[in-house]
Structure formats: C-alpha cells, structure tokens
Amino acid sequence: MTLSPSVPAEQRSLNGHLFHVSKTPDKLRHLINDIARAAKYISYAIKTTEAGLAGSVNMFGEEQVKLDVLSDRIIQEHLNENRLVATYACEEHDAVIELSPDAPYSVVFDPLDGSSLVDANLAIGSIFGIYEGKEIIGRTPREQVAALYVLYGPRTLFVYSTGSGVHEFLLNDVGEFIILREHLGIGDNAKNFSPGNLRGIDETDGYRDVVESWLKQQMTLRYSGCLVADVHHIFSKGQGIFTFPASKKYPNGKLRHAFECGPFAFLAEQAGGAASDGSQDIMDIPLTAVGQRCPLIIGSKNEVARICSLLTAV
Ligand code: AHG
Ligand code: MN
Ligand code: MN
C-alpha cells in the first residue's frame, strides 16, 4: 500500500488515476467520473437536507424529499446525461430501467446505503457496479468491469476498482477526489468482526458458534449498520469479517445481490479478500431479479472459509 506523496502529480486526481494508472477505457472513465460527480451532489445534499424531517414538510410548507429518493434522482440525472448507460437497476425501482438502448454500459446501484442512520448522523454510503452491455439480469458479479463505493462520513471517500486493485480517494475542499491510498489489501486473517443479523443467531445453523468463536478469540467488534461503512472498515484496516446470514425474517439474508453483495464481492476479491453466501462465491451467483437478496460473508479469506464451514457443518 502506497500513500499519496509518492504518487506523481498527474495520477493524484480520480480522473488522472483512471487514465494513467488503471488505464481505464475512455468511456468507462467518463462514466466513473460522472458517478463521482453525482456523489459530490449527494455529499452536499446530506449536509444540507433537513435530517430527520425526511418525507415531511419543511418550514416553508414544501415537501421534503427523503435523502434516499433524492440520491436516486441525482444519480439518475447524471447517468442520463452522458449517453453511456443502456440500463440501470437500483434499490428504488423494482424493474430494470432503460436509458440509452445502444449505450455501452449498465449500472447497478444502491443510492443511499444505511439510510436509517441519517437522523443519527452516522456514516452512510452509495454503492455501484458497472457491466458491459444492456443486460443486467442473468449476469454474475464477476462480469462487472468496475465496482465502487462512496462513504459519506466525517470525510467523503471514493473507493474504486476497474480490475487492477482497489484505490481510495478523498473529496477535498475544492470538490476534487484526490488519491489517499492505492492498492488497498485485505489480509487472510481477521481480528475485527462485524456481525449483522444477530437477531437471527439461533435461526441459521452454526451462527451462534461463529459469534461465540469470535468472542472467545477476543476479537474486536465493529458494526455500524451501514454496509459501506462496515466493509470499508475492513478495506481500511486491511483485515476483518462482516456477516449478514439468513434468518426467519430474512430467509435469503437482507442485502441485495445486484447492488450490495455483487459490487463488494468484486472489490473484496480485488483486494485479496473473499465473499460468499455460505456455500458459493458471490462473484459466481447469477442475478435473477433486481430485488434478489443474498446472505453475505465477506472479508479476510481464511475467516470467510472458516465461517462458511461452521455455517454449513450442522
Ligand atoms: P439500506 O439503507 O440501503 O436499506 O441498507 C441497509 C443495510 C446495510 O447497509 C446494512 O448492512 C444492513 O442494512 C443493516 O441491517 P440491520 O439494521 O438489520 O443491522
Ligand atoms: Mn443498502
Ligand atoms: Mn439504500
């Protein structure tokens, strides 16, 4: 992992990095730049939209748009304007939406991840996956040509991969994403654990054993309720494990395969980590519907494998 001072000046901006380092094809580079621009508007909207009043009426009697709906609109507008996106699928719509039928890419996205945390002022995010062609259903996350996320925390971070490592950028005061760290890596063993869906601890065979094994090893608990923040923690610290298994309430888990599990599986693999649904690599599970859910075990390779064996052992 290298830090920004060692990066030549022309490679420090997101666009420069995409061009000079990742050698990203021009159209894909333009699309990622447009997504980054949308993220800046979302970041601004988060700071300026009345938190907690989402969906209600403001002091002028105007309807307040929920931040997740607003984020969705911002992204749609940016995807629409570049004529690079044939179709997209996202959390706010049940069906795949067609934009420019002959355009080269399709995009899957979660406009605002962790939206229930907005009023608590905890970190939230956006997640994107990009495919070539207009088909989304039937594809596997392995076919993504890029995956990225934005983390709106005390600072706004942008983390992307186009298949040659995972790179992290910081939104600076003049509105530019500048390189923070290149080649984020996830080590094979975890010291931190992030246990989602604990309410179902006795509803998925083996989950209690998994959690007890973490406690016994005196591992460090890190769970915020925002997938982007929780998995970014793993990328940032270079190790860790996040789980969101199935339960009675969520028979296929809660997280959405297309725009939550899929993009993060791509990024984890690029960083040397792994992602599984308990028995299968997330990267190889086909997308069957926009709203398809999937259990998720993601992070340090050895820990993902250990947990999958505990969850399937009983
Ligand atoms: P979203 O806000 O897009 O609906 O996603 C919330 C997700 C995800 O960010 C997080 O990992 C998970 O919900 C947390 O679930 P619990 O609140 O059940 O822990
Ligand atoms: Mn989400
Ligand atoms: Mn969401």
Side-chain angles (χ1 to χ4, degrees):
M1 188 168 69
T2 49
L3 292 171
S4 56
S6 62
V7 178
E10 76 275 13
Q11 300 174 10
R12 286 188 199 145
S13 70
L14 175 61
N15 184 52
H17 200 271
L18 286 162
F19 186 83
H20 293 288
V21 182
S22 301
K23 314 254 186 267
T24 308
D26 281 348
K27 286 182 178 171
L28 181 56
R29 178 169 58 88
H30 292 314
L31 174 54
I32 293 174
N33 278 326
D34 286 337
I35 291 173
R37 204 151 46 86
K40 293 174 201 175
Y41 280 88
I42 296 172
S43 179
Y44 180 74
I46 291 165
K47 291 189 188 116
T48 53
T49 303
E50 197 78 52
L53 285 185
S56 65
V57 167
N58 71 10
M59 61 192 288
F60 305 106
E62 295 159 339
E63 196 192 329
Q64 295 275 288
V65 180
K66 278 188 176 180
L67 259 181
D68 40 12
V69 177
L70 186 59
S71 306
D72 181 51
R73 280 189 204 161
I74 291 170
I75 295 166
Q76 274 181 52
E77 279 165 20
H78 284 79
L79 296 185
N80 208 3
E81 120 192 345
N82 57 31
R83 301 275 179 259
L84 291 170
V85 180
T87 57
Y88 71 85
C90 73
E91 189 187 345
E92 306 299 323
H93 309 277
D94 298 337
V96 173
I97 312 252
E98 193 160 288
L99 282 184
S100 310
D102 298 325
Y105 296 108
S106 308
V107 182
V108 290
F109 62 92
D110 181 352
L112 205 65
D113 176 63
S115 43
S116 72
L117 303 176
V118 169
D119 57 353
N121 198 28
L122 290 182
I124 50 182
S126 303
I127 313 167
F128 297 84
I130 302 175
Y131 290 86
E132 257 167 6
K134 63 181 291 189
E135 300 306 328
I136 292 176
I137 303 305
R139 311 294 288 274
T140 62
R142 196 174 291 287
E143 294 175 66
Q144 289 169 109
V145 289
L148 60 96
Y149 62 86
V150 188
L151 175 62
Y152 316 99
R155 303 186 292 176
T156 295
L157 301 179
F158 185 100
V159 178
Y160 88 90
S161 177
T162 50
S164 49
V166 180
H167 315 292
E168 179 189 40
F169 293 74
L170 168 70
L171 184 60
N172 71 11
D173 286 344
V174 293
E176 180 102 58
F177 282 111
I178 297 294
I179 189 78
L180 207 52
R181 292 182 283 187
E182 290 183 292
H183 295 287
L184 296 181
I186 300 178
D188 291 344
N189 299 308
K191 289 184 281 190
N192 297 338
F193 70 107
S194 198
N197 210 12
L198 276 185
R199 59 177 93 69
I201 194 166
D202 290 319
E203 296 169 11
T204 291
D205 288 342
Y207 198 29
R208 179 173 285 279
D209 295 336
V210 166
V211 175
E212 281 173 1
S213 76
W214 288 331
L215 297 178
K216 211 172 279 166
Q217 293 172 70
Q218 300 189 331
M219 286 168 61
T220 301
L221 171 69
R222 290 289 181 267
Y223 187 83
S224 75
C226 168
L227 179 70
V228 172
D230 290 330
V231 179
H232 177 70
H233 192 271
I234 298 175
F235 284 107
S236 183
K237 301 294 182 187
Q239 54 74 24
I241 183 78
F242 173 96
T243 48
F244 206 111
S247 61
K248 272 189 197 137
K249 186 175 173 194
Y250 299 116
N252 296 310
K254 175 184 180 186
L255 301 172
R256 272 64 52 97
H257 184 35
F259 36 80
E260 291 180 317
C261 304
F264 271 119
F266 184 92
L267 288 156
E269 189 179 282
Q270 282 294 317
S276 172
D277 72 344
S279 56
Q280 223 185 326
D281 193 322
I282 298 281
M283 293 283 271
D284 299 316
I285 302 175
L287 306 179
T288 56
V290 173
Q292 177 188 1
R293 294 174 193 262
C294 190
L296 179 64
I297 298 138
I298 186 167
S300 296
K301 246 184 197 160
N302 290 347
E303 193 60 12
V304 170
R306 190 183 74 88
I307 287 162
C308 291
S309 70
L310 279 173
L311 291 181
T312 49
V314 258

